[in-house]
Amino acid sequence: MDILANVSLGLATALTPVNLLYCFLGVFLGTVVGVIPGIGVLTAISLLFPLTFYLEPTTALIMLAGVWYGTGYGGRTASILLNIPGSAANAVTCLDGYPMARQGRAGVALFMTTMASFFGGCVGILVLMLFSPIIASYALSFGSAEYFALMVLGLVAASTISEGSAIKALGMVVLGIIFGTVGMDSQTASARFTFGMLDLLDGLSLIALAMGIFGVAEIIASVRRVDGGEVLDAKVSWASMKPTRDDVKRSWFPVMRGSTIGTLFGTLPGTGPSVASFMAYAIEKRIAGQPERFGKGAIEGVMAPESADNAAEQTSFIPTLSLGIPGSATMALMLGALMIHGIAPGPSLINDQPALFWGLIMSFWIGNVLLVILNVPLIGLWVKLLTIPYHLLYPSVLVFICIGAYSVGYSAFDVWMVVFFGLLGYVMRIFAMPAAPMLLGFVLGPLMEEHFRRAMLYSRGDFATFVERPISAVIVALTFALLVWTVWTGIRRARTRRNTEMDDGLTQS
Amino acid sequence: MFERDYRDMAAGLLMAATGGFVAIYASTQYNLGTFRNMGPGMFPMLAGSVLVFLGGLLAVTAFFRAGPMPKIRISTPIFILASIAAFALLIRNFGMLPAVLAVTLIASLAELKMRPVSLVLLAAGLCLMTWLIFPLGLGLNIPMLRWPF
């Protein structure tokens, strides 16, 4: 059996002491940053990113991935106890989780959502194991034209589906691509946009960029706003976690529906856990027999989004690992970690690096089990973490950002780049420009340019190559349809807004 | 609220200006080549042009709608960014201890409130922690203290 051989290879990789240690470190830190509001998963991953230079690529990826799905477990703690989402994907959990805590059922909510997260995670990993190799083997026939078209589709989808203005997100993707061209041109070896600075020849540092636009900008926006609030009913004992028979009976179907929704949305670019958990909640509420129970502590309202969140976190690895096309900023950082070690992302990854691919996937099982262990008996520790005041937290994060950026090349220039990107990130926040698409563009930009130039070389400068090749034509058509749909919904939204404004004007006069 | 979306108009104009600069700089300073055999300037020139288009689109659409007034913090970004800049200035010549102290002190000012006791404790704790993690734990070759003169 092919899959058995792969699974055992993966287990052998994931169970080495070093990989186990970093898997534990990853999920532990993921839980920590998930619990604490004001430090997002991207900040955490960019903080740990410099470490990946000293690790084997497999180990590095296991750790970074652990942070990513670990936050899915930690994030609900603050949602349930504080009514503040620990991370964006857990925002909906506040709606029913906090009322549950106010009814003295915080323990039940925390225990049951851990189980929901675990279930969702397991479904996600199974789908990831089954479908990634299939998609990758299909994509092996792709040429440069297909790749370029696929990257454009991925970036357009990521910008138009996510909330907020599609124009702004697309603009930030292009700005990221432009930042990606800084440095030595890989094909002609001429320096671009270096303005005579030798430090820029190697290109802008991915770490400095991620730390600046996520970590530093997030701190600037959170200082004096986020604070260790009052934790509700901090005593979470074993006895208080025991769900009633009714709770368990009500939870089965929401968890299954949530996992399905999460699995689906995780694979699509631009959607990911936040959209998945929101959709899962909305659907649960719509099909419920008594929708009025929602918002007042309905257990379905926490189970569905939490399972969707974790399923989506796992399946978001499908396009990243099987096609080399990340759907979110976090996945772009994972891809960056691979590229730093000289591993080209793409459909050949699964065949060329079976130990990496299957080891990483098997580490997800181990990580999810570790997370259940970390989250159920140790819940008291995480509740205490919520009481750490932000004014002690953020200077510490800044210190680690500085040392992390410096340690990569022992270069003070990289630290200056953090200042630059921190300022840019804050200015972008003022203008409500999303930062995640910029990181996506930055990581994919150099690959896009390479494939674009190669595709045009093969076609002798004829742009028709992108629509003459059948697969590429389908992808281009999808991209085009997505753009048309975005423009159409944008116009419709503007029109309804104007109409309601006019109605308001009429009723006032 | 503004009557027109001035925030997005400014954002669009900034985007268009950046894209314009990139496109013009790339096409004047670098070789564009042909579509068949592209030079180093072609891809940045195309990307810059797309940014001009998107920025223009944003500015034009913003002109016809009402917009929110952005909240701008002045002192917070100055303190936070200055603390990182202080690290960049101090790390090479003076070592990690002074750099870490500077980051902690300057960043804490962003709170606009002095908490002397907790600040001293935090700074001491961070110095100890970074010493334990980086030179000791990870074996990074960063001197703790250095005197350049």
Side-chain angles (χ1 to χ4, degrees):
Chain A
M1 276 291 280
D2 206 26
I3 186 107
L4 278 181
N6 287 330
V7 166
S8 62
L9 170 71
L11 274 178
T13 314
L15 285 173
T16 57
V18 179
N19 288 346
L20 266 181
L21 176 71
Y22 280 96
C23 182
F24 175 77
L25 189 72
V27 295
F28 183 83
L29 282 169
T31 312
V32 171
V33 297
V35 168
I36 300 171
I39 300 180
V41 58
L42 279 157
T43 310
I45 291 184
S46 47
L47 267 178
L48 286 178
F49 205 86
L51 256 184
T52 59
F53 282 86
Y54 304 94
L55 301 172
E56 288 286 308
T58 312
T59 314
L61 234 62
I62 286 176
M63 178 185 69
L64 294 182
V67 178
W68 164 236
Y69 57 81
T71 48
Y73 280 79
R76 77 227 144 75
T77 314
S79 301
I80 292 170
L81 294 175
L82 285 182
N83 205 17
I84 299 169
S87 59
N90 305 96
V92 249
T93 309
C94 294
L95 294 177
D96 278 287
Y98 188 66
M100 275 182 88
R102 285 185 45 172
Q103 293 157 15
R105 282 156 53 78
V108 177
L110 289 168
F111 175 77
M112 290 298 279
T113 48
T114 307
M115 292 301 134
S117 296
F118 185 70
F119 189 89
C122 289
V123 172
I125 304 172
L126 277 176
V127 172
L128 171 65
M129 283 170 72
L130 291 175
F131 284 94
S132 299
I134 301 174
I135 297 173
S137 64
Y138 183 66
L140 275 174
S141 62
F142 284 11
S144 279
E146 281 80 18
Y147 262 110
F148 177 73
L150 206 57
M151 287 184 203
V152 173
L153 173 62
L155 290 174
V156 168
S159 334
T160 50
I161 297 175
S162 60
E163 61 206 296
S165 156
I167 303 177
K168 287 180 173 178
L170 281 173
M172 288 301 101
V173 165
V174 179
L175 188 64
I177 292 174
I178 290 171
F179 279 132
T181 63
V182 172
M184 191 106 80
D185 173 26
S186 60
Q187 292 177 37
T188 57
S190 46
R192 291 192 290 192
F193 302 109
T194 56
F195 305 106
M197 283 184 267
L198 283 179
D199 289 300
L200 281 178
L201 266 187
D202 290 335
L204 295 167
S205 149
L206 171 63
I207 295 168
L209 185 136
M211 284 176 169
I213 59 174
F214 297 110
V216 177
E218 191 171 38
I219 287 176
I220 292 175
S222 305
V223 171
R224 281 181 285 128
R225 282 220 187 107
V226 181
D227 225 324
E230 273 187 35
V231 178
L232 197 82
D233 194 25
K235 269 186 296 172
V236 182
S237 63
W238 276 101
S240 74
M241 286 192 203
K242 196 169 174 289
T244 64
R245 190 167 292 175
D246 185 50
D247 288 335
V248 179
K249 205 178 74 192
R250 283 180 187 280
S251 297
W252 277 112
F253 285 106
V255 165
M256 278 185 232
R257 280 189 291 262
S259 305
T260 314
I261 294 163
T263 303
L264 185 71
F265 279 96
T267 54
L268 300 176
T271 50
S274 316
V275 178
S277 57
F278 184 79
M279 284 297 290
Y281 186 84
I283 287 176
E284 234 22 80
K285 194 174 174 182
R286 177 153 310 168
I287 65 170
Q290 305 146 288
E292 63 278 1
R293 283 175 54 245
F294 281 76
K296 293 174 191 146
I299 189 140
E300 297 95 319
V302 290
M303 298 304 274
E306 282 301 313
S307 54
D309 171 22
N310 286 68
E313 270 159 8
Q314 302 294 354
T315 53
S316 58
F317 280 95
I318 293 178
T320 315
L321 293 174
S322 62
L323 299 172
I325 294 181
S328 66
T330 327
M331 289 299 126
L333 280 175
M334 304 273 166
L335 221 56
L338 278 178
M339 294 199 280
I340 279 170
H341 286 279
I343 297 172
S348 54
L349 178 91
I350 299 178
N351 284 327
D352 294 351
Q353 307 271 351
L356 187 150
F357 177 77
W358 292 103
L360 179 64
I361 289 186
M362 286 301 128
S363 84
F364 292 169
W365 290 111
I366 298 166
N368 272 283
V369 173
L370 286 176
L371 279 164
V372 172
I373 300 172
L374 275 176
N375 274 278
V376 177
L378 291 181
I379 186 68
L381 179 71
W382 309 123
V383 175
K384 284 226 178 62
L385 255 186
L386 280 176
T387 54
I388 296 181
Y390 198 68
H391 67 85
L392 295 181
L393 217 54
Y394 79 85
S396 321
V397 174
L398 282 171
V399 164
F400 283 99
I401 285 179
C402 290
I403 300 177
Y406 178 73
S407 69
V408 172
Y410 296 109
S411 124
F413 183 80
D414 283 351
V415 185
W416 284 111
M417 288 320 291
V418 176
V419 178
F420 170 76
F421 282 113
L423 180 65
L424 180 71
Y426 184 61
V427 171
M428 280 160 62
R429 265 178 193 246
I430 294 175
F431 287 118
M433 308 294 258
M438 195 174 109
L439 184 71
L440 269 177
F442 180 74
V443 171
L444 283 184
L447 292 170
M448 280 177 81
E449 177 175 12
E450 199 185 315
H451 285 298
F452 181 58
R453 281 161 91 164
R454 200 179 299 154
M456 292 299 279
L457 188 65
Y458 289 152
S459 75
R460 304 194 176 134
D462 187 2
F463 277 99
T465 180
F466 295 110
V467 288
E468 274 166 1
R469 298 170 64 109
I471 300 176
S472 166
V474 171
I475 302 171
V476 170
L478 275 175
T479 314
F480 195 70
L482 202 57
L483 283 174
V484 170
W485 178 74
T486 310
V487 171
W488 184 66
T489 49
I491 290 172
R492 208 178 50 168
R493 203 179 304 148
R495 195 171 293 159
T496 46
R497 194 170 43 204
R498 199 164 307 153
N499 285 345
T500 47
E501 270 164 27
M502 258 161 46
D503 288 348
D504 288 349
L506 282 175
T507 45
Q508 271 165 18
S509 61
Chain B
M1 282 293 272
F2 288 128
E3 209 163 295
R4 299 193 185 287
D5 197 342
Y6 291 113
R7 181 192 71 181
D8 281 8
M9 278 163 71
L13 291 177
L14 271 176
M15 261 163 73
T18 313
F21 167 76
V22 169
I24 292 168
Y25 192 86
S27 48
T28 52
Q29 301 290 313
Y30 310 123
N31 181 16
L32 284 180
T34 60
F35 279 125
R36 179 174 176 182
N37 200 349
M38 285 178 222
M42 181 67 89
F43 192 74
M45 192 277 283
L46 292 175
S49 312
V50 175
L51 196 56
V52 171
F53 170 73
L54 289 169
L57 202 63
L58 181 62
V60 169
T61 49
F63 184 81
F64 294 105
R65 63 169 179 244
M69 188 127 102
K71 289 186 196 72
I72 303 176
R73 317 182 98 182
I74 305 287
S75 67
T76 321
I78 291 177
F79 283 122
I80 301 288
L81 295 173
S83 75
I84 307 171
F87 185 94
L89 286 173
L90 291 171
I91 185 76
R92 281 216 80 82
N93 291 328
F94 294 90
M96 197 145 87
L97 271 182
V100 168
L101 283 176
V103 175
T104 320
L105 188 78
I106 301 173
S108 295
L109 294 176
E111 277 287 318
L112 302 179
K113 228 188 296 186
M114 279 307 276
R115 298 183 173 90
V117 183
S118 84
L119 184 60
V120 169
L121 286 177
L122 177 69
L126 279 174
C127 287
L128 185 70
M129 210 153 80
T130 47
W131 177 65
L132 283 174
I133 293 176
F134 295 100
L136 233 57
L138 295 170
L140 293 192
N141 183 23
I142 306 177
M144 290 308 286
L145 207 58
R146 197 183 245 179
W147 191 247
F149 307 111

